[in-house]
Amino acid sequence: MAKGAKLDFNQDVQPILAANCFSCHGPDPEMRKAGLRLDLEESAFKKRPGHPDAIVPGHPEQSELIKRIESTDSHHLMPQSPQGEAKPMKPAEIAVLKEWVKEGAVYRPHWAFDKPVKPQPPATSEAAVWGNNPIDDFVLARLKKEGLKPSPETDKATLIRRVTLDLTGLLPTPAEVRAFENDKAPQAYEHLVDGLLARPTYGEHRARYWLDYARYADTYGLHYDNSRDIWPYRDYVIRSFNANKPFDQFAMEQIAGDLMPSKTLDPLIASGYVRLGVSSNEGGTIPEELRANIARERAEAYGATFMGLTVGCAVCHDHKYDPTSQKDFYALTAFFNNIQERSFNNDRPVWEPMVRVPRAESQDAYNRVWARRSELAQRVRDLHLQQRDLVGKWLASRASLPQAVSTDKLMLRLRLDEGGGDELKNSAPHPQQASFPIGKSKPQWGETTWLWPDFRMETSTRIQLGQTGDFDTNQGFSSGGWFMMRSAPNYTSYAESGTLLSKMDSTQHNRGWDISIEHGILFVDLVNEGSKDLMVHKKADEKEPEPKNAKEVFQFPTPTDLTAQDLAPNKSKVQKELEKKSQEKKPAKKEDKPAEPKPPLDTTPLMAIRVSTLDPFPVDGKWRHIFFTYDGSGKAAGVRLYVNGVPVATNVVSDTLGQATIKNQAPMLLGMRSPDENPARETRYQDIRFYGRAVAPEETRRLPFEDYVAEVAGKPSGQWSDDEWHAVSQFYFDSIDKEAKDLESQIGALDAQLDKLSEGGALTMVSWERPSIAYAHVLTRGIYTARTERVEANTPHFLPPLPAGVPHDRLALAKWTVSADNPLTARVTVNRMWSEIFGAGLVETTEDFGIMGQRPSNPELLDWLAVEFRESGWNVKHMYKLMVMSAAYRQSSKVTPALVAKDPKNLLLARGPRFRMDGETLRDVALQSSGLLVAKIGGPSVKPYQPPSVWEQVGIGGSDTLNYEQQHGETLYRRSMYTYWKRMALMPDMDAFDAPMRDVVCTRRQRTDTPLQALVTMDDVQWVEAARALAQRVIKEGGKQPEQRIDMMSEILLAHDPPPQMAAVLEGSIAQMEKHYTADPKDAAKLLDVGEKKSDASIPAPELAAWTMVASEMLNLDETLNK
Amino acid sequence: MKQHPLCTDTEQASHVMDMAIPAEMKQEWARLQTRRHFLGRSGKVLAWAAMASLLGGRALRGDAHGPAYGQPGASDKDQFKLPNFAPKAKRAIYLFMSGGPSQVDLWDYKPGLAALYDKDIPDSVRGSQQLTGMTAGQARFPIAPSHWSFKRSGETGTWVSDLLPYTGRIADQLAIIKSTNTDAINHEPAIMLMNTGNMNAGKPCLGSWLSYGLGSMNDNLPTFMVLQTKINTHEDNQPVSSRLWSSGFLSSEYAGVGLRSAGDPVLYLTDPDGVDREVRRNMLDAVNDINRQTYQELGDPETNARISQYEMAYRMQTSVPELADLSKEPKSTWDLYGPDAREPGTFAYNCLMARRLAERGVRFTQVYKRGWDMHANVTRTLPLICGEVDRGCYALVTDLKQRGMLDDTLVVWAGEFGRTVYSQGGLTPDNYGRDHHPRCYTTWMTGGGVRTGITYGETDDYSYNVVKDPVPVRDFNATILHCLGIDHNKLTYNFQGLDQKLTGPTPASVVQGLLA
């Protein structure tokens, strides 16, 4: 630190306090010792009874903090490890803290949480001779402070190679190099840069980085690790960079594209971002655990990529360093928790919600309809935004006010809104029993919200409702309520079976009544004597057979007409063969299975009424109001079924009850027919009722919503909770508001057109918001069962709040992310751009701008860039151009030992950036230099060469990524970003070069140097084949003389002629190799046979083999591997 | 302690300044010697081994992914004095039984259960435990006593199932832990927890922590190697993934390197067809020559590091095939390991390979054996997998002992959880299935630092709950680290502002009862 300068709290003091003190004296109250909190000014100076003052500003000698860190008594000495061992601070750190207290112990807010203000570029005398744009002013001032000087500009050849690699991920051609070298115009470099930014390869290269930040992969990452079809998202990213889509738009589309108005499908495709994380369908998966993990992963990924914060540290407890509280974290997960989806994926390559991307030829027609739909959907959203006004007006107008349903003979009403406890209350006016005990296996409360926070039965939950509903055949009665059917993993719609409500005695031929669901079809039974085999559902441990005509029905945006083919895992040919074989073998194996006790068929005659619905329900995770009425006639015609208050067509399966009794002694049961039966798996319930009368059709219409809304409307609206508002407005828009109803029906018609127009297109997973309010629960220690506080989606409390009056959904989050007040997004984004170009971010910890993250090496420059980015209209190309136009970027990368010692990572930029390229770029460069590279953008991922049994070694039988089936032809030579990305077994060549698994977000790759990398570039068939193709190219095009060929190779790979010393080594090498292969033509032939591309037979084999080895030498040079 | 001829540990290797390495490297070495964290490891030669090894320059320069130069957190490495105390074991071999072996059929002898066949397990035993989605809906939880008899083995009279006759012979040398327990009930989270100390992805595994903390003991093989056992179609082979041998937030240099039984033993190890050793040497000489010119021109120390990595690659190309060449193993080896060991990729073969790796100074070897996940058909499948595994375990421990290596090699046998005593699916006198069971399972350890001939921990009469001396996964891992001379609270890495460690944030303790 310069003499006389005051300490900067953020730069000098806070890092020391954070590293040494905050774990016990920081934001986390659980860990706090002696009631001392040092991260906040107000608490650091607070008097603590019985404790000396921690900090006395101006007086280090009176400050306990200083006394403790200087103490010679090891019991007294701070800091201490959690195990109570003293970990003394460094003298330099102690000196800083003393000086800080002496200077008055001034606190400042954490730098990254303050909105960046554009600083004036510093003026230095040296700026007159060095520098091209404001970046350089900042770099220069920083270097001056350190007593360093910038390096001279690098030569043109190095520069064009560097900038072409940085902007396109590929090499300049020798012709381009020559043209640039000969272009003496002052604007030559700028023209070059503009040309590179305009190339389609620019978008590919940028997208390649973004896919790490977005954790894009082609498999879902756990257990079966099956394929996941979401490559249209990848192509969207490429398109966006190439179109120079403003970054705010780009970010918003990914976070909330499904909620944005748009003229094309792109924003919806982009919203697949949210769903790129890992998922599972492991058989025993507990859906809630998976759901909690998925929401958590999304919040962490969002936190790292858009906020630059390690929010995940607050999963278990308040963040130990940052102000992110546990509540902040779960409020953030809530945004990502409100998608119309199931957490498990049924091992399918796509699972809802998804959309079909129209084929090129129907794209225009599709987009026209899409734009119209989007406009209408936006109008619906606008209406919803005015809900409070509209509902107020409606209620004030006193027209068509909500009417309650008569409570006459209402004997049971289970609201199921207790939210906990040991019993369920019966809120009916004349209950036969006032409450019912919950067994020892507790239900799940409040996972989602419908009329109110909901109730879900675990498979082992048992709810007995006593003798309520003990009615006989000649008495009218009605029952039903709200239900949400939800499958557990491995159970699809046709297996979605179980009893919803029953009063039936399974020991007495199933006498009684019930309402049940089988394969999505609803049944109401009134039984005197039933056939066991007709009536009893499967036991839990038996897998339901798939009925022949089972068909799933989907909801928009998922196409409604998906076939089994669309949903089938992408098995390879090998697997299909194997499975076919094992299917054929199966019958022989039967005796191996443990004999299942199979009782003989029970053919007892059926005396019952059985009425069913005609069509199965879609598998959509939606709430449905299911209700039946019975008129006491003893006839099937006396049974009516209602779904959402509307009578539905029914089928009479049996009508043989007559006047036989249905009375029985068994208890009424929720969710099952008999206590030893599999309950309706994973089903949610709300407002379950039993009436001792046949409720009239006019009343059933009002049961789902209106009755409840009437109840809410009885209170002044000022007292309504958010959930009550939601229920009332949902009713209002569904039933009262003509415009909304009209819009919804128009949208429905357009959806059908869109379905048609997208036929034959590729499916891709997207986000689709649920209509309900986005909530999450704070989980104690992150344990999914340990729910505490219920929190609404919200942004962290220490950052600017969401605007008042907007729904807290992903759209609000998206807008907030790129709002002018957000201090983080612009900084975090330009910092990553900087790290792509310069090798390390201005903040090295690109994922952590929090208290424990690195301090910016040049804070003013970072802020200048951040504000410039926003003010430019989030212009991405503008920012890259600024960076590569800077003199800092154009410096020579020659370095002296002294400079290495002072700035080993080149954070200060006294020299130009030079570092080993990422694995993808290396492979692309090898393919490009040899002429093998296929320039084709986008499409499904490809499977080039891979060593044998990389997948097979780790996979599970039945997975569609068990066998790697290498493709052929041009797919072998596509850019590496198109290579199929299997999370549980990375492509090993990329793995060797530090490619992340992408099972969690990665905002900066490691850059190691290992022998395994040398093995890849020397031995991998792709590299050997590339070397041979490169050799062939220089033999045919380079000239007859070895020097000419060596020159050409060097020009291709290094953009310059080889210096004499290097040429000498290579010429010696070619002589040696030629001698070897001439003497051993068999070896030559073998070498030429590597790879699928045939070698040119017109070249003598020994010659080509020898040159192949020299090309391999060139490809393995340090200079080739570095940019 | 007996020194193994191929193990280039601290005492024996020559001084770095005498070695035939580029002058620049010697300079770098001299510079590094002044760095405290570097010397903090036990001695300069070990450090040299690290420099030349897979750990490469990076570990020396202390710039693994994480706290950076001159920034808070960087001080951690300075405090890093490993081993923390004299280690009993220098290296470890971990036989990972993926899928969850049935403790009640193999180790946890419960003769009383025979009388309870098909009776429901009492609610009081099961408690309010959350079951997997596979049996949560099961109406009954009928007890399935083990189909097999148990015998007393060795002088200790340890009860071992008839399914493990060979392992029974070494029962006196094992510390059998009946009270291992985990927090996870499904494979993915459980196997992650066991291997990395955390149920979610992104954390380094045990082997990576050891590589990071202890470094290499040899200069031509990786520090941490992973062996997969060939899968058999008759077993339900739950998957494994590179996540289990990943280095998480540690530098990827510490990730496990696969030693494969088919194709290249190490990926891309073999020179292409038509490239012999001489051609490779010539090619490398040319590359190194030019790289040295580049270094002179640009002065980037990374260029020098690259030269040394290419040399290490070249050495591996010789040392790995030598390692994989079993032709010089004497007849006694085959007598010990049995005929399976001749077939690459079998468990017995991998056990033999693990011994050869240990001999050559590989710090940590993890052998994966999948197929223990038996939801049905236990009586048909369990004998098959035990038949594959039993002899290899016995042979490895016996072999290490005969060679005097068991004293300083830790051997661990463990899966990710146990199995339920109640039957999943239909129970018949001849067959049953067992679901995942996290509350108790049996593992064993032997070798350096382990108190042998003991059974540790007890379960209730149903092999359902631990009733004495529970060993949660974090304690299990703390104990492994302890045997290797590491205090689990001190092997930390500052990531995202926290001192991350293998055992996680919940306090863990070394199981003293397991230590010699």
Side-chain angles (χ1 to χ4, degrees), chain A residues 105-230:
Chain A
V106 181
Y107 272 84
R108 292 262 177 270
H110 180 58
W111 71 273
F113 304 152
D114 256 3
K115 197 177 142 179
V117 176
K118 202 172 192 178
Q120 196 61 39
T124 51
S125 47
E126 291 86 345
V129 290
W130 190 82
N132 295 322
N133 63 29
I135 289 175
D136 297 321
D137 296 332
F138 291 102
V139 169
L140 196 59
R142 183 79 177 85
L143 289 176
K144 202 177 170 190
K145 203 168 139 196
E146 301 288 333
L148 294 172
K149 284 193 168 57
S151 299
E153 182 158 324
T154 193
D155 60 280
K156 281 184 111 174
T158 305
L159 187 59
I160 184 177
R161 184 174 183 273
R162 183 186 293 168
V163 74
T164 310
L165 283 167
D166 273 333
L167 294 182
T168 68
L170 294 171
L171 295 166
T173 65
E176 286 164 3
V177 176
R178 273 191 295 278
F180 178 56
E181 283 181 323
N182 293 333
D183 188 347
K184 304 293 181 211
Q187 308 301 319
Y189 180 65
E190 187 168 3
H191 288 153
L192 170 70
V193 169
D194 288 339
L196 293 171
L197 288 168
R199 288 187 189 174
T201 48
Y202 158 84
E204 286 181 306
H205 190 51
R206 294 275 79 82
R208 210 267 297 157
Y209 289 99
W210 186 261
L211 297 181
D212 274 1
Y213 313 152
R215 77 241 186 271
Y216 170 89
D218 293 305
T219 65
Y220 64 63
L222 291 170
H223 201 236
Y224 271 59
D225 198 24
N226 268 5
S227 53
R228 154 155 53 199
D229 292 349
I230 196 161

Side-chain angles (χ1 to χ4, degrees), chain B residues 483-506:
Chain B
C483 291
L484 288 146
I486 297 169
D487 176 342
H488 66 275
N489 284 317
K490 290 188 178 155
L491 179 57
T492 60
Y493 186 81
N494 196 295
F495 177 67
Q496 298 188 339
L498 286 178
D499 280 344
Q500 309 266 357
K501 51 190 194 208
L502 173 66
T503 50
T506 311

Side-chain angles (χ1 to χ4, degrees), chain B residues 66-128:
Chain B
Y69 174 73
Q71 294 279 0
S75 61
D76 270 33
K77 281 228 157 209
D78 296 339
Q79 293 167 8
F80 222 56
K81 287 177 201 146
L82 288 173
N84 300 120
F85 37 82
K88 290 281 171 49
K90 281 188 193 168
R91 63 187 88 76
I93 296 169
Y94 197 138
L95 309 172
F96 194 83
M97 302 294 124
S98 161
S102 170
Q103 79 285 359
V104 71
D105 291 305
L106 300 179
W107 300 103
D108 204 10
Y109 182 43
K110 299 292 174 193
L113 291 178
L116 298 173
Y117 170 78
D118 203 25
K119 297 265 193 310
D120 270 308
I121 182 165
D123 284 354
S124 59
V125 172
R126 215 155 45 81
S128 59

Side-chain angles (χ1 to χ4, degrees), chain A residues 609 611 629-631 633-641 650 652 654-655:
Chain A
I609 291 172
V611 175
T629 60
Y630 168 63
D631 63 2
S633 65
K635 293 272 180 285
V639 174
R640 287 182 186 199
L641 266 162
T650 53
V652 174
S654 171
D655 196 3

Side-chain angles (χ1 to χ4, degrees), chain A residues 880-1100:
Chain A
Y880 283 109
K881 183 172 173 182
L882 267 179
M883 290 179 197
V884 301
M885 289 301 293
S886 71
Y889 176 77
R890 290 148 73 169
Q891 293 173 95
S892 157
S893 53
K894 278 185 197 168
V895 69
T896 60
L899 187 51
V900 171
K902 184 154 176 81
D903 184 14
K905 296 180 179 178
N906 197 20
L907 299 177
L908 304 174
L909 291 169
R911 59 187 187 271
R914 176 184 199 272
F915 48 88
R916 195 261 287 151
M917 294 183 275
D918 287 343
E920 289 94 330
T921 314
L922 289 174
R923 177 175 169 274
D924 291 355
V925 159
L927 291 174
Q928 182 201 13
S929 65
S930 61
L932 289 170
L933 187 73
V934 171
K936 179 183 161 190
I937 294 180
S941 295
V942 296
K943 293 173 181 157
Y945 301 110
Q946 171 167 289
S949 76
V950 170
W951 286 13
E952 289 80 356
Q953 268 202 347
V954 296
I956 176 169
S959 159
D960 73 356
T961 56
L962 178 63
N963 304 103
Y964 187 82
E965 202 166 297
Q966 188 214 298
Q967 297 169 334
H968 307 280
E970 72 165 31
T971 52
L972 298 175
Y973 312 110
R974 298 281 305 279
R975 286 193 83 170
S976 308
M977 70 176 308
Y978 302 115
T979 297
Y980 192 90
W981 198 287
K982 176 174 162 71
R983 280 185 160 125
M984 281 175 74
L986 274 194
M987 197 67 177
D989 55 337
M990 296 299 129
D991 193 20
F993 285 101
D994 307 309
M997 296 174 77
R998 292 190 182 156
D999 46 0
V1000 292
V1001 64
C1002 170
T1003 66
R1004 56 173 167 152
R1005 290 191 184 187
Q1006 301 174 10
R1007 202 175 294 125
T1008 62
D1009 180 7
T1010 68
L1012 303 180
Q1013 293 167 3
L1015 293 175
V1016 171
T1017 50
M1018 291 194 297
D1019 297 339
D1020 182 3
V1021 52
Q1022 317 189 81
W1023 284 78
V1024 178
E1025 187 179 39
R1028 199 192 60 227
L1030 174 58
Q1032 198 166 296
R1033 186 175 163 198
V1034 299
I1035 291 170
K1036 300 197 79 151
E1037 300 167 23
K1040 283 260 179 286
Q1041 298 308 313
E1043 310 85 82
Q1044 293 173 304
R1045 294 174 180 179
I1046 286 168
D1047 282 359
M1048 184 180 173
M1049 237 188 254
S1050 181
E1051 277 164 21
I1052 290 171
L1053 287 169
L1054 309 176
H1056 61 70
D1057 282 344
Q1061 239 188 321
M1062 174 176 162
V1065 173
L1066 293 168
E1067 280 163 32
S1069 192
I1070 187 63
Q1072 211 174 23
M1073 295 293 177
E1074 269 184 339
K1075 200 172 141 208
H1076 174 89
Y1077 284 110
T1078 309
D1080 194 343
K1082 265 196 209 141
D1083 259 7
K1086 279 196 240 163
L1087 181 57
L1088 300 191
D1089 209 31
V1090 174
E1092 296 194 359
K1093 198 98 175 172
K1094 289 273 163 282
S1095 60
D1096 190 333
S1098 68
I1099 306 170

Side-chain angles (χ1 to χ4, degrees), chain A residues 290-396:
Chain A
L290 187 59
R291 181 166 173 264
N293 284 344
I294 287 174
R296 167 187 170 169
E297 187 278 335
R298 289 172 183 170
E300 284 183 304
Y302 169 84
T305 301
F306 292 100
M307 300 166 88
L309 291 178
T310 58
V311 292
C313 293
V315 167
C316 305
H317 47 71
D318 290 348
H319 201 291
K320 287 201 188 321
Y321 303 97
D322 292 346
T324 315
S325 66
Q326 219 189 343
K327 187 174 163 181
D328 284 333
F329 177 73
Y330 286 99
L332 191 61
T333 66
F335 287 111
F336 303 107
N337 223 351
N338 205 38
I339 290 171
Q340 205 120 254
E341 64 180 343
R342 299 179 188 218
S343 25
F344 45 88
N345 54 42
N346 285 329
D347 295 317
R348 288 171 171 173
V350 272
W351 63 102
E352 290 186 277
M354 57 185 130
V355 73
R356 203 161 44 197
V357 184
R359 298 215 287 219
E361 61 269 26
S362 32
Q363 209 161 45
D364 290 344
Y366 185 94
N367 283 342
R368 277 193 295 276
V369 180
W370 177 265
R372 175 81 186 128
R373 187 201 192 276
S374 179
E375 202 186 306
L376 298 177
Q378 186 54 40
R379 279 169 61 190
V380 171
R381 270 192 290 273
D382 289 343
L383 279 178
H384 278 258
L385 281 177
Q386 305 164 43
Q387 55 167 285
R388 301 223 166 190
D389 281 353
L390 293 170
V391 167
K393 274 183 202 147
W394 163 52
L395 293 178

